[in-house]
Structures are given as structure tokens and as C-alpha cells.
Amino acid sequence: MKISLTGIKPTATPHLGNYLGAIRPALKLSESYETLYFIADYHALTTVRDAGEMRGHIYDVAATWLACGLDPESTLLYRQSDIIEVFELSWILSCLLATGQLERGHSYKDALAKGGSPNAGVFNYPVLMAADILLYGAHVVPVGKDQKQHLELARDVAQRFNHIFANDEELLTLPEPLIGEAPLVPGLDGEKMSKSRGNSIPLFATAKKLRKMVMSIKTGSEALEEPKDPDSSTVYQLCKQLTPSIADEMATKLRAGGYGWGHAKQEFFEALEAELGPKREVYESLRGDTAKLDAILADGAARARARAQATMTEVRKAIGIS
Ligand code: ADP
Ligand code: TRP
């Protein structure tokens, strides 16, 4: 079975955009791939500067994936930082990369363009990410469009390694990005839902808060009886990504008239609650049991590490350091 692997940075509590755009599709892949999903805590260290925040978000992310249906028996769920081999491979790969290639990195270039002085972690970020992927022989990596360049670099450096140290045999597997076709999930204001825009719907807000947020979604101001255009409305777009069958009926009613935006929001809220309510209960119980989360992460780490060590044995032999 082919391997699907992805990393999730523990930099915030997940929102509906993360769920619809990343979590739900990645979990679906576990039906056809062997799945390894890890918490990229050392990538988060390029920005997080508070130990309590880091610790808290690691648990938030772990509890979120488990509550959304990740089965820790069949999917390896682990913390990047528990697999120390990743730093060894990261160094080896960095010796094969030209600094110019890292200088062309989008995030690094963006940080410079904004007039900042990015830390060296931002510069080296794509190398650690390549090591995250190549250590486990991942075939596909589900990511957002913004990560495409990082995947190209991972492929590139794997190819270079294989060429120089393995007679062009695929000792390191060349990964493919798996980028979702679905449009980006809009936020409360109709722009891309993002934690930094302050327009996001937190995945596990209470039902009361969730309803309040849904009711605050921007809509047109047509009268109740007027026909309405679903395609230009955020509430319909959100509903379409969440539950297409409910959205289809919503579109028919909006076009017919006699159905207001308030009705549409109420239906969307009910669909959200049906999908998220049961998951919220599991989330809360897990989030309150950090000992259980630690145990699940430790078990995932032990299994992931065995694979990482097997790869490193081959890699060290290939480079002549064993
Ligand atoms: P944010 O944009 O809030 O900072 P991240 O960059 O941490 O979110 O994204 C984590 C994952 O969630 C990525 O795979 C990204 O593609 C996905 N994602 C984030 N926002 C959206 C959105 N509005 N629509 C679809 N997917 C999203
Ligand atoms: N860079 C990814 C992001 O910002 C997170 C990440 C780290 C990752 N290592 C990875 C994703 C390996 C896929 C594979 O979202």
C-alpha cells in the first residue's frame, strides 16, 4: 500500500477551513493509503515563542485529529520532535542543496520582502520538511497549494541523493504533492478563512457560539420574497463544502424566493452541528485527558521511529558514515 504523509503545525486551534480543506480529505485517504500524520512542532518553533502555547497547541491538534476520526491504530500519529533521526537526515540533505535554492523559497523571500530579518529556521524550513517526508518513504503528501514549492524541493533533493549516493536507484522515494481541487473555504467575511484574518469559525466552538458566528456571516440585503443568487453567497459556499446534498436544496429554495438568508444560515448551522456536535464531545473529553494523548503520541512515535531508523541505516551506508 502506498504511503500518505502530512505534517500539521501546532500554531493555532484548528478552524473550519482546516477541517474542510485539510483534515477531512486527509482522513479519507486512510481508506486507500497507509497514513502517517504528524505534528510539526519544530517547524512551529520558527514562530512560536511561548512554551505554554506550544504545549497547548500540540494537544489541540492531536485531540482534533483524533476527534475527527483518526484511528491511531491504523494511522501513525506522532510528534516530529520525537523522531530525532529527522535532524540527522536534515543535515545530510542540506549538504546536497545549494543555498540559492533555499534563497528562492517563497516564505523566506516573503519575509525578506516584508522588510523582516527572518531567522535561519525560516531559511532551512524546506530542508527539515524534506527530511520529514523522505524519512518514511512517503509516496503522496496532501498539502495546500502554498506548500507545492516545498514538495518540489523534497523531490529534487531526493533525486540528487539517489543520483550521487545510490547509483540512481530510488533509495529515497520521490514524493508527489496531493493538492485538493476544492476551492478555498471562505470565512465569515467571504474572504479566505484564515486564523490571521480573524474571520474563522473555530472547529469546536460551543453550539451557542457556533450559531452566533454563523448568523454573523455576511449576506445580501434582499427581501424575504425575492429570488436570491446562491453562488455569490458565503453561506451557500460554506454549506456546499460541508454537505453538498443540503446545499443543493438550499440553492433551489434561494433561487425560488420566499426563503431568506436567515433561513439559509439556520440550515447551515444545523448541518454544521450535525457534523461537528458529536466530534466536539470527543474533542473535549480527549483534550481534558493529556495523559491519554501523551500515550497515543508515544505509541505513534515508537512505530514511526522504527521506520525512520531503518531508512537512516540505508542512508548512512550509502554516504559512507556507518
Ligand atoms: P491558516 O491559513 O489559518 O494559517 P494553515 O496555513 O495553518 O491555516 O493551514 C493548515 C491546513 O489547512 C493547510 O493544509 C491549508 O491548506 C488548509 N487550509 C487553511 N485555510 C483553509 C481554507 N480557508 N480553505 C481550505 N483549506 C484551508
Ligand atoms: N510546512 C507545512 C505547513 O506549513 C507543515 C509541514 C511540515 C509538512 N513538515 C511537513 C507538511 C511534511 C507535509 C509534509 O503546513
Side-chain angles (χ1 to χ4, degrees):
M1 213 181 203
K2 289 196 169 181
I3 298 175
S4 161
L5 168 145
T6 198
I8 309 101
K9 273 197 293 182
T11 47
T13 312
H15 56 64
L16 186 64
N18 300 140
Y19 175 69
L20 296 175
I23 300 174
R24 199 170 64 173
L27 290 175
K28 185 106 184 91
L29 288 176
S30 68
E31 292 165 13
S32 34
Y33 288 90
E34 187 176 2
T35 36
L36 279 78
Y37 294 152
F38 69 94
I39 303 175
D41 44 4
Y42 269 124
H43 274 116
L45 191 65
T46 57
T47 54
V48 178
R49 291 291 179 259
D50 182 278
E53 194 183 314
M54 178 73 91
R55 210 170 284 124
H57 285 323
I58 290 172
Y59 287 133
D60 292 345
V61 169
T64 298
W65 282 75
L66 291 162
C68 289
L70 183 148
D71 170 7
E73 288 298 316
S74 55
T75 294
L76 261 56
L77 177 69
Y78 57 96
R79 261 185 306 237
Q80 177 188 40
S81 56
D82 281 334
I83 319 293
I84 53 172
E85 286 74 13
V86 80
F87 304 105
E88 188 180 359
L89 183 58
S90 190
W91 174 257
I92 295 169
L93 300 178
S94 75
C95 294
L96 298 180
L97 281 161
T99 49
Q101 199 164 357
L102 295 177
E103 276 160 7
R104 287 190 292 278
H106 292 321
S107 330
Y108 176 68
K109 270 186 9 192
D110 287 353
L112 284 183
K114 282 189 191 133
S117 47
N119 59 63
V122 174
F123 185 74
N124 290 312
Y125 188 110
V127 191
L128 181 57
M129 182 159 161
D132 283 331
I133 297 167
L134 302 176
L135 203 46
Y136 306 94
H139 300 95
V140 299
V141 182
V143 280
K145 269 199 206 84
D146 59 320
Q147 300 295 314
K148 202 165 165 229
Q149 191 193 37
H150 292 154
L151 261 294
E152 279 158 14
L153 184 136
R155 271 183 81 86
D156 208 48
V157 74
Q159 215 154 17
R160 209 168 306 161
F161 181 94
N162 292 340
H163 181 63
I164 298 173
F165 293 116
N167 293 318
D168 283 319
E169 271 174 41
E170 210 170 315
L171 193 156
L172 295 178
T173 305
L174 305 193
E176 294 276 357
L178 210 61
I179 295 169
E181 307 273 290
L184 287 171
V185 178
L188 298 172
D189 56 359
E191 300 295 315
K192 179 202 166 202
M193 185 178 292
S194 168
K195 60 178 177 261
S196 54
R197 280 199 166 90
N199 64 355
S200 59
I201 301 179
L203 199 50
F204 296 125
T206 60
K208 195 171 161 205
K209 206 161 161 211
L210 196 60
R211 185 167 187 282
K212 206 169 153 198
M213 294 192 110
V214 168
M215 291 301 158
S216 77
I217 295 171
K218 259 202 202 157
T219 57
S221 51
E222 301 96 321
L224 177 70
E225 54 284 355
E226 277 181 71
K228 301 169 184 69
D229 172 27
D231 296 314
S232 58
S233 92
T234 303
V235 61
Y236 168 72
Q237 297 299 341
L238 280 166
C239 196
K240 195 160 98 177
Q241 295 221 25
L242 181 77
T243 321
S245 57
I246 296 178
D248 287 347
E249 287 175 28
M250 181 185 285
T252 309
K253 290 189 263 188
L254 282 167
R255 288 195 186 100
Y259 177 85
W261 292 118
H263 296 129
K265 288 180 186 177
Q266 179 62 28
E267 281 201 56
F268 172 55
F269 164 70
E270 283 164 17
L272 254 186
E273 189 53 23
E275 171 115 1
L276 299 181
K279 297 182 172 61
R280 182 194 303 127
E281 272 182 41
V282 181
Y283 175 81
E284 274 167 6
S285 125
L286 278 171
R287 188 61 185 83
D289 190 353
T290 51
K292 182 163 182 186
L293 292 173
D294 283 334
I296 292 173
L297 291 170
D299 177 62
R303 291 191 286 155
R305 199 153 176 226
R307 292 171 177 235
Q309 285 171 335
T311 305
M312 286 317 296
T313 301
E314 294 298 308
V315 166
R316 283 191 212 108
K317 214 188 308 169
I319 62 176
I321 298 183
S322 52

